[in-house]
Amino acid sequence: MEKKWIAVVPLWDEEKHSLWMLPNYLEGIRDSGGVPVILPLDVPAEDAVGILERCDGLLMTGGQDVSPVLYGEEEKDTCGELCKARDTLEQALYRRAVELDKAVLGICRGIQMINVLEGGTLYQDLPTEHPSQVEHHGQPPYDQVIHEVQLCGPLESLLGARCLGVNSYHHQGIRNLGKNLEKMAWAEDGIVEAVRRRDRRFVWAVQWHPEFSFRSDANSRKIFRAFVDHC
């Protein structure tokens, strides 16, 4: 069987002014039968889209905060580091992927960006804007369960469970859900933890980090496998 080629959004190190990548993302794709292709960052959008068009799917990785400008807000002091180049790149990639009905998986920042591009909004900082007893910002090792989420829809069917323990490492989260999205998981404090786009074959996103836990967790492997299988 011909392997699926998966475009992967690169990570950016502002201090070193350098692209980088967590190997976990790539291993999750490879172990599921795909071939990861790390995209360039600071290139014209049409060039990056041209690479995407030759691939079978798109993985939107974690990273810096999504710029509040994209959802009509001013940046607050509690907002974290931004990356304008990623914001620009991901807008073009996601919209073209949806247009072509390519499979998309968003992780952490990925779910936040997808929500914003679908017309939703974010909490710029959960501890100050949505305080709760649920710990969303875990410490190393990042494959450990931090809190539980309730599941529904296709994600519940895939994992065969209504409740799932997840790792977690984020300080932003979905405030208002994008109009084309429906939730597939949520935390006890109401924060949406997984979504899908209803009118596409496979546009899924999760707030937790299956790339850190796929070695030890069968459910994380199922998510990667479902993504690659739909590519």
Side-chain angles (χ1 to χ4, degrees):
M1 181 181 295
E2 186 175 350
K3 290 187 176 181
K4 313 295 181 62
W5 292 72
I6 315 297
V8 182
V9 176
L11 307 179
W12 176 253
D13 188 317
E14 181 64 31
E15 181 178 349
K16 296 180 179 179
H17 205 69
S18 174
L19 295 178
W20 69 289
M21 179 53 58
L22 281 167
N24 312 63
Y25 291 116
L26 311 183
E27 291 171 6
I29 291 172
R30 284 197 298 264
D31 284 8
S32 302
V35 178
V37 179
I38 303 174
L39 295 169
L41 181 60
D42 192 14
V43 296
E46 59 267 26
D47 292 342
V49 166
I51 299 173
L52 171 68
E53 290 172 348
R54 292 165 173 80
C55 293
D56 303 294
L58 172 65
L59 175 63
M60 298 175 66
T61 55
Q64 287 91 346
D65 288 354
V66 176
S67 174
V69 172
L70 298 182
Y71 50 96
E73 292 186 6
E74 294 185 0
E75 181 183 346
K76 299 178 181 178
D77 291 340
T78 51
C79 188
E81 180 183 301
L82 306 178
C83 182
K84 184 177 181 180
R86 281 200 64 175
D87 289 342
T88 300
L89 177 70
E90 289 176 349
Q91 289 180 72
L93 291 173
Y94 178 73
R95 287 168 177 155
R96 185 57 174 158
V98 168
E99 182 180 6
L100 297 174
D101 201 15
K102 291 184 181 289
V104 179
L105 176 62
I107 295 176
C108 196
R109 170 191 162 94
I111 189 175
Q112 296 165 12
M113 176 59 82
I114 288 172
N115 186 64
V116 167
L117 294 180
E118 294 292 352
T121 63
L122 303 177
Y123 291 107
Q124 292 191 40
D125 181 63
L126 288 173
T128 56
E129 296 178 34
H130 188 81
S132 77
Q133 297 300 311
V134 177
E135 178 57 71
H136 289 282
H137 198 272
Q139 301 297 320
Y142 295 120
D143 62 343
Q144 301 300 303
V145 170
I146 298 299
H147 64 81
E148 292 186 340
V149 297
Q150 300 298 311
L151 305 178
C152 66
L155 186 56
E156 178 186 352
S157 298
L158 174 68
L159 304 184
R162 293 186 177 180
C163 182
L164 179 69
V166 299
N167 55 6
S168 188
Y169 187 72
H170 64 106
H171 85 108
Q172 295 200 321
I174 292 176
R175 182 192 293 266
N176 297 310
L177 193 63
K179 62 181 180 180
N180 291 316
L181 303 177
E182 65 180 19
K183 67 180 180 181
M184 296 194 295
W186 61 95
E188 184 179 351
D189 59 0
I191 293 297
V192 174
E193 294 270 340
V195 301
R196 72 168 183 134
R197 180 158 168 162
R198 296 182 293 267
D199 60 344
R200 288 296 182 269
R201 288 185 306 112
F202 192 96
V203 174
W204 285 24
V206 298
Q207 184 61 75
W208 62 91
H209 289 271
E211 81 280 8
F212 280 121
S213 56
F214 80 96
R215 288 292 186 199
S216 59
D217 177 53
N219 288 319
S220 297
R221 293 192 292 273
K222 287 180 181 179
I223 292 172
F224 271 105
R225 172 66 70 174
F227 166 52
V228 174
D229 283 351
H230 280 83
C231 287

